[in-house]
Amino acid sequence: MIILTEGNTNPVAAKTATSVIRYRREEVVAILDSQQQGGTSQELLGLGGDLPIIGQLDQCPDANTLLIGIAPAGGRFPNAWRLIIIEAIERGLNIVSGLHDFLSDDAQLSRVAKVNRVTLTDVRKNDQRRVASREGIREDCLRIHTVGADCGVGKMVTAIEINEGLKSRGHDAKFVATGQTGIMIEGDGCPIDCVVADFVNGAAEKLILDRQDHDILLVEGQGSLVHPRYSAVTLGLLHGCMPQGMILCYEVGRTAVHGMEQVSLLSLEKLVEIYEMMASAMHPSQIIGISMNSRRVSDAEATAERERVRKRLGLPVCDIFRHGPDDLIDAVLRLQIELFA
Amino acid sequence: MIILTEGNTNPVAAKTATSVIRYRREEVVAILDSQQQGGTSQELLGLGGDLPIIGQLDQCPDANTLLIGIAPAGGRFPNAWRLIIIEAIERGLNIVSGLHDFLSDDAQLSRVAKVNRVTLTDVRKNDQRRVASREGIREDCLRIHTVGADCGVGKMVTAIEINEGLKSRGHDAKFVATGQTGIMIEGDGCPIDCVVADFVNGAAEKLILDRQDHDILLVEGQGSLVHPRYSAVTLGLLHGCMPQGMILCYEVGRTAVHGMEQVSLLSLEKLVEIYEMMASAMHPSQIIGISMNSRRVSDAEATAERERVRKRLGLPVCDIFRHGPDDLIDAVLRLQIELFA
């Protein structure tokens, strides 16, 4: 596949691209951004090695899919991309999109896709119409939920890395994707932020009911309980998936809500209090560890921050990429023993 | 208009019918329920006087609208009603529905409506696609939000009654409808529970931005912050409308979530704590009064409960219908003075 990030090839705007490259590198042949042509993924996104940035589709003739690699606030379709997508369709590429604006609802794109016999896949499209029941929940399935101080702090990658670590230690774990990028990586899940509000809790509960044959579920979190834009998504997901344990994710040095500089972030202590109170209103739950995203600071600063937060909160703390996820995996297994042994 | 409540003519299942009759009585000519034919609204719903229950549409030739008067969990369209609705359309009646299943998306109903030149109005249909901005909020507009211990405890009627009381005392107040019934009564608003999850907070904020030329807004609450099914709706609305003051609504004697008897309700003290914490994470906010729905108890029991709760919480308490809403109106005006005087 080729990943389209036109004009947005940086780790924040191209969050989807970055994660797809991280976890499905072998399927990606190029990044399409005419403004950054000639560079490499490693230079611009900090991963992906020599994966090339191409300026035009004909520079990469062997792809069969174009994946839209950005996740803008509101999920709108940048209209400037229409011509690129039409060209891709005409070259026979299937299109995969995680935007709120569904490509398959666009009359022109649908028509062109039909003529060229390619598929338009809207990962966020869903028809969830189920309210939560609170029935049939398997109590000895351990549900771990990654929650956050904000968007874009590492809730998805924390769930994935813990899941991978548990599996490599021989445990029967499963990553439960709740956003478009997670679904692209895992191949299943529910785009919870695109469910009609009345059915968010029910859709999250269904994710659990359908997967509780596994011993441990790692449920990807969304937004934050105190996010001015997305707290509805966060609470519905939290209440629907009823975690016994939560891992709080934050970014070192971030002081305001991403994209809303006038809104300050809360302290980790306050976040622990809020998440534990709101989760436990539905099912007893505790924060069992802190996932610290330290991408913007040095090794020394990361080490110092890790020690400080460990001491302040009395919880395991690590940057899953810098330090590895073992401390958090151990915390999950301790909770499993505490609850079920 | 005729209100359809077929087989569900009771105050709980026919919540929409009951409120439309309460606030738009002069526009209603009959209730349609073939199973209760010959009765009156007063007997079955406890209000509406001699408004007749009819068994067939031809018993009431002078209506021009059929309004669907139930709000079931999940908002599904009871298929048994299809024949009744088709008959109504063929008799030239416009149809108004608040269900999640949109009549206007139904191929058969749309076709029949077109042939008979009547309109199908889906009150819940919306295309909200705006994320919250936290910009342009008028700080000296007093935002009061009715919040609840559960669904169906009186959040809408509390907001309406306080709004009416404020207006009759000469204040510039406005009821802000957030559900299908409120919108049918007020004529504007947003069906917040039918907005796509990512845009719930933004839709609620827009309700405020569009109405803050008024001095006081009474924003109808939805669900409960601890409702297993609908807490996503509740939190997005709470964070989007950023109330300075909240009124907590509950029903005397109810101990479990309506329709989920296995889920206990929290104490009023705990609810006050949760609502104040979650609202204040976005904007300083406090519970200023308690709206007590005492429909299932005697006058003496209601009086005793009112005194008990007043003492326990140190807040004004009243049943807006039994005692009148004056105590809550006074609480709103005290907050206005406290904040803006």
Side-chain angles (χ1 to χ4, degrees):
Chain A
M1 68 176 83
I2 296 170
I3 302 183
L4 174 63
T5 55
E6 185 66 24
N8 286 281
T9 312
N10 65 70
V12 174
K15 201 169 90 165
T16 298
T18 303
S19 289
V20 171
I21 293 165
R22 187 187 306 280
Y23 294 108
R24 293 178 63 182
R25 170 69 186 86
E26 68 287 358
E27 297 170 58
V28 185
V29 293
I31 294 171
L32 179 61
D33 182 351
S34 64
Q35 298 170 38
Q36 301 282 355
Q37 182 175 355
T40 69
S41 176
Q42 192 73 42
E43 290 160 13
L44 290 168
L45 300 178
L47 86 183
D50 58 1
L51 182 69
I53 319 289
I54 60 172
Q56 290 193 326
L57 285 168
D58 59 10
Q59 292 165 8
C60 187
D62 57 346
N64 61 20
T65 298
L66 180 75
L67 182 143
I68 297 187
I70 60 157
R76 304 311 299 248
F77 173 53
N79 217 39
W81 294 14
R82 179 174 292 272
L83 289 180
I84 301 173
I85 291 172
I86 290 175
E87 189 197 338
I89 294 173
E90 288 174 346
R91 298 181 70 88
L93 298 181
N94 297 312
I95 313 292
V96 175
S97 165
L99 300 174
H100 273 295
D101 282 343
F102 300 137
L103 303 188
S104 55
D105 287 351
D106 183 290
Q108 184 189 26
L109 296 180
S110 296
R111 205 170 49 239
V112 182
K114 199 174 168 190
V115 170
N116 289 277
R117 296 183 185 179
V118 303
T119 56
L120 302 179
T121 303
D122 289 298
V123 178
R124 258 186 175 135
K125 205 166 191 171
N126 72 88
D127 192 23
Q128 293 291 328
R129 281 298 184 92
R130 174 189 182 278
V131 292
S133 70
R134 295 286 300 274
E135 283 168 9
I137 312 286
R138 190 189 133 198
E139 254 319 306
D140 57 352
C141 166
L142 181 62
R143 301 177 297 270
I144 302 292
H145 188 33
T146 53
V147 297
D150 193 7
C151 291
V153 293
K155 295 180 288 285
M156 183 191 75
V157 291
T158 298
I160 291 176
E161 294 293 329
I162 293 174
N163 179 58
E164 292 302 319
L166 284 166
K167 287 203 289 191
S168 73
R169 292 198 202 176
H171 294 276
D172 174 24
K174 163 86 177 160
F175 167 61
V176 182
T178 65
Q180 67 277 10
T181 306
I183 296 168
M184 288 175 188
I185 292 166
E186 183 70 4
D188 64 12
C190 176
I192 206 83
D193 65 5
C194 199
V195 171
V196 166
D198 250 2
F199 307 109
V200 169
N201 300 43
E205 187 186 82
K206 186 162 193 307
L207 282 172
I208 299 302
L209 292 172
D210 289 349
R211 289 163 181 78
Q212 57 184 351
D213 52 314
H214 295 281
D215 290 339
I216 307 177
L217 299 178
L218 282 302
V219 184
E220 175 190 4
Q222 294 292 335
S224 151
L225 275 187
V226 292
H227 197 293
R229 290 180 172 156
Y230 308 122
S231 56
V233 180
T234 312
L235 185 61
L237 175 55
L238 178 70
H239 279 172
C241 78
M242 287 176 286
Q244 297 102 335
M246 297 174 284
I247 291 168
L248 177 61
C249 308
Y250 81 106
E251 183 178 2
V252 182
R254 195 187 297 195
T255 56
V257 172
H258 175 67
M260 305 183 87
E261 298 308 312
Q262 76 277 32
V263 185
S264 298
L265 293 178
L266 299 184
S267 69
L268 293 175
E269 285 83 351
K270 188 74 185 170
L271 287 167
V272 168
E273 182 189 355
I274 286 179
Y275 276 107
E276 290 189 342
M277 173 179 244
M278 292 310 292
S280 298
M282 211 54 59
H283 190 287
S285 188
Q286 52 184 299
I287 300 274
I288 60 167
I290 308 289
S291 176
M292 163 185 119
N293 178 334
S294 64
R295 61 183 159 191
R296 287 180 217 272
V297 303
S298 68
D299 275 345
E301 286 172 288
T303 303
E305 169 83 1
R306 188 184 188 187
E307 276 315 302
R308 264 197 310 271
V309 173
R310 233 184 219 155
K311 219 174 268 179
R312 264 169 54 192
L313 299 177
L315 287 169
V317 182
C318 59
D319 181 313
I320 53 165
F321 294 129
R322 201 187 288 255
H323 312 122
D326 281 343
D327 284 9
L328 296 175
I329 294 169
D330 292 341
V332 169
L333 294 172
R334 275 197 303 274
L335 182 64
Q336 190 185 35
I337 290 167
E338 187 187 313
L339 292 176
F340 307 135
Chain B
M1 69 175 84
I2 297 170
I3 302 183
L4 174 65
T5 55
E6 186 67 23
N8 287 280
T9 312
N10 64 71
V12 174
K15 200 168 91 166
T16 299
T18 304
S19 289
V20 171
I21 293 165
R22 187 187 305 281
Y23 295 108
R24 293 177 63 181
R25 170 68 186 87
E26 70 287 358
E27 298 169 56
V28 185
V29 293
I31 294 171
L32 179 62
D33 181 351
S34 65
Q35 298 170 39
Q36 301 281 356
Q37 183 175 355
T40 69
S41 175
Q42 192 72 42
E43 291 160 15
L44 290 168
L45 299 178
L47 84 183
D50 58 1
L51 181 69
I53 319 288
I54 61 172
Q56 290 193 326
L57 285 168
D58 60 9
Q59 292 166 7
C60 188
D62 58 345
N64 61 20
T65 298
L66 180 75
L67 182 144
I68 297 187
I70 60 157
R76 305 310 298 248
F77 173 53
N79 216 40
W81 294 14
R82 179 174 294 272
L83 289 181
I84 301 173
I85 291 171
I86 290 175
E87 189 198 336
I89 293 172
E90 288 172 346
R91 296 180 70 88
L93 299 181
N94 297 313
I95 313 292
V96 176
S97 165
L99 299 175
H100 273 294
D101 282 343
F102 300 137
L103 303 187
S104 56
D105 287 350
D106 184 289
Q108 184 189 26
L109 296 180
S110 296
R111 206 170 48 238
V112 183
K114 199 174 169 189
V115 170
N116 289 279
R117 295 183 186 179
V118 303
T119 56
L120 302 178
T121 303
D122 289 298
V123 178
R124 258 186 175 136
K125 204 166 192 171
N126 72 88
D127 191 24
Q128 294 291 328
R129 280 300 183 90
R130 173 188 184 279
V131 293
S133 70
R134 294 289 298 276
E135 283 169 9
I137 312 287
R138 191 189 133 200
E139 255 318 306
D140 57 352
C141 167
L142 182 62
R143 301 177 297 269
I144 302 292
H145 188 33
T146 53
V147 296
D150 194 6
C151 291
V153 293
K155 294 180 287 285
M156 184 192 74
V157 292
T158 299
I160 291 175
E161 294 293 328
I162 293 174
N163 179 58
E164 292 302 319
L166 283 167
K167 287 204 289 191
S168 73
R169 292 198 201 175
H171 294 276
D172 174 24
K174 162 84 177 162
F175 167 61
V176 182
T178 64
Q180 68 277 10
T181 306
I183 296 168
M184 288 173 187
I185 292 165
E186 183 70 4
D188 64 14
C190 175
I192 205 83
D193 65 6
C194 199
V195 172
V196 166
D198 251 2
F199 307 108
V200 169
N201 300 45
E205 187 186 83
K206 186 162 193 309
L207 281 171
I208 299 302
L209 291 173
D210 290 349
R211 288 162 182 78
Q212 56 183 352
D213 52 316
H214 295 280
D215 290 339
I216 307 177
L217 299 178
L218 282 301
V219 184
E220 175 191 3
Q222 293 292 334
S224 152
L225 276 187
V226 292
H227 197 292
R229 290 179 173 158
Y230 309 122
S231 56
V233 180
T234 311
L235 184 61
L237 175 55
L238 178 69
H239 279 172
C241 79
M242 286 176 287
Q244 297 102 337
M246 296 173 285
I247 291 169
L248 177 61
C249 308
Y250 81 107
E251 183 177 3
V252 182
R254 195 187 297 196
T255 56
V257 173
H258 174 68
M260 305 183 86
E261 297 307 313
Q262 76 276 32
V263 185
S264 298
L265 292 178
L266 299 184
S267 69
L268 293 175
E269 285 83 351
K270 188 74 185 172
L271 288 167
V272 168
E273 182 189 355
I274 286 178
Y275 276 107
E276 291 189 341
M277 173 179 243
M278 292 311 290
S280 297
M282 211 54 59
H283 190 287
S285 187
Q286 52 183 299
I287 300 274
I288 60 168
I290 308 289
S291 177
M292 163 185 118
N293 178 333
S294 64
R295 62 183 158 191
R296 287 180 217 273
V297 303
S298 69
D299 275 345
E301 287 171 287
T303 303
E305 169 83 1
R306 188 184 188 187
E307 276 316 302
R308 263 197 311 273
V309 174
R310 233 184 219 157
K311 219 174 265 178
R312 264 169 54 194
L313 299 178
L315 288 168
V317 181
C318 59
D319 182 312
I320 53 165
F321 294 128
R322 201 188 287 255
H323 312 122
D326 281 343
D327 284 9
L328 295 176
I329 294 169
D330 293 341
V332 170
L333 295 172
R334 275 197 302 275
L335 181 64
Q336 190 185 36
I337 291 168
E338 188 187 313
L339 292 177
F340 307 135

